[in-house]
Amino acid sequence: MKHTLGVLFIVAACLLVAMSSAAAGDAEVLQQARQAYQTRNLAQLSEAIETLKQRKSPLLSYPQYWQMILTLDQLNYSDVQTFLQEHGESLMSQRVRELWLKRLGRVQFWDQFVEVRAQIPMVYSLNDISNQCYQVQAEIALDDPNAYEDGKRLLLTGRDLSADCQGMLEALQQVGVLDDKLVLTLYREALLNNKPAQAKLWAKRSNKADSALLKQIDDMVQNPAQVLKKGGLSAHSAYARALYVYAIQRQAKADVSVAKVTYQKIQGVLDSEEKQLAQASIALEAARKHLPEALPAFAKLNKSSFSAEQWEWYARSALRQQAWPSLAGILNEMPATLAEEPAWRYWKARALLEKGQIADANQLLAKLSQERHFYGWLAAEELGPVLSEPTATYQPSDEEVKQFAKSLVSRRIEALFDAEARYEARLEWLYLIEGLEDAQRLVAAQYALMKGWFDLSVLAADKTNRTHNFELRYPTPYRDYLQKASRTRAIDEAWVYGIIRQESRFMHYAKSSVGAGGLMQVMPTTAKWIAKKLGLNGYHDGMLHDIDTNVALGTFYMRYTLDIFNGQEVMATAAYNAGPSRARRWAADTPLEGAIYAETIPFGETRNYVKKVLANAHMYATRLGLPAQTMKKRLGVIPARSGSDDSAASVSMTTQDQE
């Protein structure tokens, strides 16, 4: 009797789940499927799949993919082909291919692996590190002449390797590609990139690491000065000596002078390569701290072993001092892939102009002026009024947008938004626009704008290469709120739009990983400080995503930073991202061109942020019908740093520890 009741209970429970799925909307069924996947409940997951299948829901591919993950060991080629035929070219199809590749890699079916890999459209790359390792392993097994070089290149990217990469490592080590020299290089790079766990793995693979070294790595992470004081690092082991270099790098980040003293004490035990690494680390941190000694320190080193970051800060150290002949020489030596970056093409042209090589400079500027970004606008201004190829524009038709709205992918993205699966919707969108031509991207952008998906609209419009639509690239939602707030605070409305476009892409519900929220990405603590200043009685964190409140808070802070820096928009923008005290600290002892200040900001995130915000503001001035202003005038001149400090300047909008 008890057994019978138990069976009846289970049947009833299953019926309840089935009835629940049937009664729920697609969004709710997707949530049930996600929960079933997370709890590895295959029965409930199958039920959700069946419900969505009967409804012909555009969300069906998600629970089907989750089911494949849970049953990977039983997955077969027929299952994969059925999925691909049913869902066509889509993000989930790409995910299923990658899942199947992982399955093939684990059973070492290399011919099939290569065949499936070839089916993936060329515009998409394998992002999964396991499959990247399996691809190298497949190349080795099938005698691809590029296999070993591809494997070495993958290792030198410094990515964290998964357990699936062990076969590739064994194969590379067996043929001598992953030799002692490369393992030591990878160990050093892991340390200098502050990846001690990865460094320990390379040390173990070398067979030259003992428990004492592994403990010293851990101790060095905790307190470099204490390890150096205690001593005990073996001068006879390259792996132990690498810890000296790591300690010097860690010290230089905090205080260059301390690192230099340490280097003088221990340089006698270092070989020439280790001395180069230590000195380059000191020079890099000196450059990031804007110390004049950085330029000569870089100049005396062997450039062949410079990292990309070291090359760029070598150039920035010359730029900061406006040492134009030195900058020109550095950029001539810089590796071609780096030298082709817009920043370095622009500054090379500027250096050539300073040297009187006008024709060579104008040749660089002419090409750069056709590009639509911060340095493109500056290049165009350097050239002045010249005849140039007109920008190709495209305005999607209503019919094109209507047809796009009917597509499976647009219906799936809409369903994902309904299910509040915004992260997945964004990934679907990114996958979609990657494979589109410019005109199709603009159709997608127009559709997203109509739906109020402002961030997705900007993503699509921003992606165009030759044919553009700047109304879509720089949309103007919430105009009433922003115009009113800009006038209230007497700040440039174009600058406000520039900030919001960069901060949230106009998503009022946006929340960053550090807690900043709303259109203007205001930190909760800063919001409370501003609310108190504004006399907003009863303010609480729940109000942060209210558009009117968020804009009032954000524009108050913009006015606050602008006042601190006497109307200097570049410094105020840097302060909005990293805090006023840092923005002030990054000024020079003498007046500095705004573009040079922006390019030599030590934090990569803030450096890119400032350039993008000001480029946005430059474009929005035209979009909003505001008085024209050149980019150079907007950037202005950064006044010399003063000795005074404002205690209130410690309050910041999105401050976080960077780099």
Side-chain angles (χ1 to χ4, degrees), residues 454-625:
F454 302 119
D455 58 324
L456 302 190
S457 180
V458 170
L459 278 171
D462 236 1
K463 193 75 176 174
T464 55
N465 297 309
R466 295 181 177 277
T467 304
H468 310 293
N469 183 315
F470 292 111
E471 290 186 5
L472 290 172
R473 188 176 286 194
Y474 299 95
T476 56
Y478 311 118
R479 183 77 196 271
D480 290 345
Y481 292 102
L482 271 57
Q483 191 174 59
K484 176 185 173 184
S486 300
R487 289 173 178 171
T488 299
R489 297 295 164 204
I491 55 177
D492 180 13
E493 187 184 356
W495 183 37
V496 178
Y497 265 102
I499 289 276
I500 293 176
R501 186 183 186 274
Q502 187 59 30
E503 286 286 356
S504 68
R505 290 287 197 268
F506 306 102
M507 297 187 296
H508 67 275
Y509 51 79
K511 185 175 181 179
S512 76
S513 59
V514 295
L519 281 181
M520 303 196 72
Q521 289 292 279
V522 185
M523 290 290 285
T525 52
T526 307
K528 289 174 183 175
W529 177 79
I530 298 172
K532 187 176 180 180
K533 290 277 186 181
L534 291 174
L536 293 178
N537 297 323
Y539 174 81
H540 55 84
D541 288 347
M543 298 169 66
L544 199 54
H545 294 277
D546 173 74
I547 295 172
D548 201 11
T549 302
N550 190 275
V551 170
L553 297 172
T555 52
F556 174 92
Y557 192 77
M558 291 177 73
R559 179 73 257 175
Y560 167 75
T561 57
L562 204 61
D563 288 342
I564 287 175
F565 297 112
N566 299 313
Q568 220 303 323
E569 204 170 279
V570 176
M571 297 184 78
T573 303
Y576 195 95
N577 181 259
S581 59
R582 285 169 172 155
R584 178 183 289 106
R585 189 162 65 242
W586 296 333
D589 293 331
T590 57
L592 194 65
E593 182 182 333
I596 296 177
Y597 173 92
E599 186 54 52
T600 57
I601 289 173
F603 295 172
E605 178 192 314
T606 305
R607 182 168 59 251
N608 293 327
Y609 176 90
V610 168
K611 290 188 287 187
K612 288 178 179 178
V613 165
L614 294 171
N616 291 345
H618 179 72
M619 290 300 293
Y620 270 114
T622 302
R623 284 279 287 119
L624 299 171

Side-chain angles (χ1 to χ4, degrees), residues 64 68 77-88:
Q64 285 181 329
M68 287 180 168
Y77 188 58
S78 175
D79 297 330
V80 173
Q81 286 299 101
T82 299
F83 185 97
L84 297 177
Q85 289 168 8
E86 184 176 348
H87 298 290

